[in-house]
Amino acid sequence: AQKITQTQPGMFVQEKEAVTLDCTYDTSDQSYGLFWYKQPSSGEMIFLIYQGSYDEQNATEGRYSLNFQKARKSANLVISASQLGDSAMYFCAMRRHSGGSNYKLTFGKGTLLTVNP
Amino acid sequence: DTGVSQDPRHKITKRGQNVTFRCDPISEHNRLYWYRQTLGQGPEFLTYFQNEAQLEKSRLLSDRFSAERPKGSFSTLEIQRTEQGDSAMYLCASSPQRGGPADTQYFGPGTRLTVL
């Protein structure tokens, strides 16, 4: 079974500062994908960034980067130059790439990020 | 390209009533998923369609729940004899088969169900 742990229920950051949201995972699979989604108060889950377990480079998408440490089973999200619009819930998720149920996402409980002006 | 749409966005019902939600995936996405999200939790997988075939149902999906995707396009999720414990956000997502990266799932805005 796969498990995602997000230990930070809430985080605060000043506008224009960088912030790291923690995510650790547990799986016995060798091939898997890690995802981060943003959920504003409106409810929609917005895809941010993806990291494959065999990717040698850490993923980056604009102001988002993923600090992937495979041996530690961690996939932390780094948001640079925070903006007020970044205030939202952030979810880490994973999906196995092969075997049974290799299409469903397993989510953590999320971290509520608040960006202060 | 339009995103995933869900209807209604909000539904308030009395315990024991039946409710039905609709999801329209991104066009040409042949994979469709339903998730349920309760307060303070991440989404939990409910069921998955590839085209019109329902390939997996979570144990969370009791006999009161049924999902269909009759023509491989839109999907409906019906809950019969609703209970207060069914109150949650119901999220639909879609993905292209062998899309990239790694078949990312794109979510709709969700339907928030409140059972009184």
Side-chain angles (χ1 to χ4, degrees):
Chain A
Q2 300 176 27
K3 184 177 180 181
I4 297 284
T5 302
Q6 295 181 254
T7 57
Q8 306 155 314
M11 288 285 286
F12 293 88
V13 65
Q14 287 297 122
E15 193 178 5
K16 300 181 185 178
E17 297 287 314
V19 62
T20 298
L21 305 183
D22 294 342
C23 171
T24 58
Y25 59 92
D26 188 20
T27 183
S28 57
D29 293 326
Q30 296 300 310
S31 181
Y32 49 88
L34 295 153
F35 302 78
W36 277 92
Y37 285 85
K38 171 184 177 181
Q39 188 177 42
S41 56
S42 59
E44 182 175 356
M45 300 283 286
I46 301 167
F47 166 70
L48 296 178
I49 195 167
Y50 162 81
Q51 177 85 43
S53 59
Y54 285 110
D55 293 342
E56 294 184 354
Q57 303 268 355
N58 283 345
T60 60
E61 287 287 347
R63 294 186 298 111
Y64 305 108
S65 60
L66 204 152
N67 184 1
F68 180 49
Q69 297 187 41
K70 191 172 181 178
R72 294 186 176 185
K73 293 189 175 178
S74 73
N76 299 338
L77 177 69
V78 181
I79 305 175
S80 63
S82 296
Q83 301 172 357
L84 295 178
D86 293 335
S87 294
M89 283 291 289
Y90 287 81
F91 290 95
C92 180
M94 74 179 301
R95 184 175 72 81
R96 61 194 323 202
H97 283 173
S98 61
S101 299
N102 64 337
Y103 37 75
K104 68 179 182 183
L105 290 168
T106 300
F107 286 86
K109 290 189 175 183
T111 296
L112 179 61
L113 177 66
T114 302
V115 181
N116 294 319
Chain B
D1 195 9
T2 57
V4 179
S5 61
Q6 292 186 245
D7 184 67
R9 295 291 307 276
H10 303 273
K11 179 70 176 179
I12 300 174
T13 191
K14 293 182 179 179
R15 187 178 56 185
Q17 297 294 307
N18 298 344
V19 294
T20 300
F21 310 141
R22 175 178 172 126
C23 170
D24 287 88
I26 294 171
S27 59
E28 298 179 358
H29 278 193
N30 64 339
R31 295 182 172 185
L32 187 146
Y33 317 79
W34 285 98
Y35 291 81
R36 182 172 70 186
Q37 184 179 21
T38 53
L39 203 60
Q41 303 294 319
E44 295 175 291
F45 171 80
L46 291 179
T47 191
Y48 158 65
F49 290 86
Q50 184 164 311
N51 299 310
E52 65 275 8
Q54 186 175 21
L55 297 186
E56 185 171 342
K57 291 171 57 175
S58 163
R59 285 173 292 179
L60 293 174
L61 221 60
S62 74
D63 291 344
R64 297 184 297 105
F65 288 72
S66 63
E68 294 182 343
R69 194 183 182 197
K71 296 184 179 180
S73 56
F74 73 91
S75 175
T76 58
L77 178 67
E78 180 183 16
I79 309 175
Q80 296 182 329
R81 305 182 302 282
T82 52
E83 302 173 355
Q84 289 183 326
D86 298 331
S87 295
M89 174 79 90
Y90 290 83
L91 293 162
C92 177
S94 70
S95 70
Q97 189 167 5
R98 299 197 181 278
D103 292 347
T104 297
Q105 295 179 23
Y106 297 92
F107 284 79
T111 294
R112 184 171 296 282
L113 173 66
T114 302
V115 182
L116 302 176

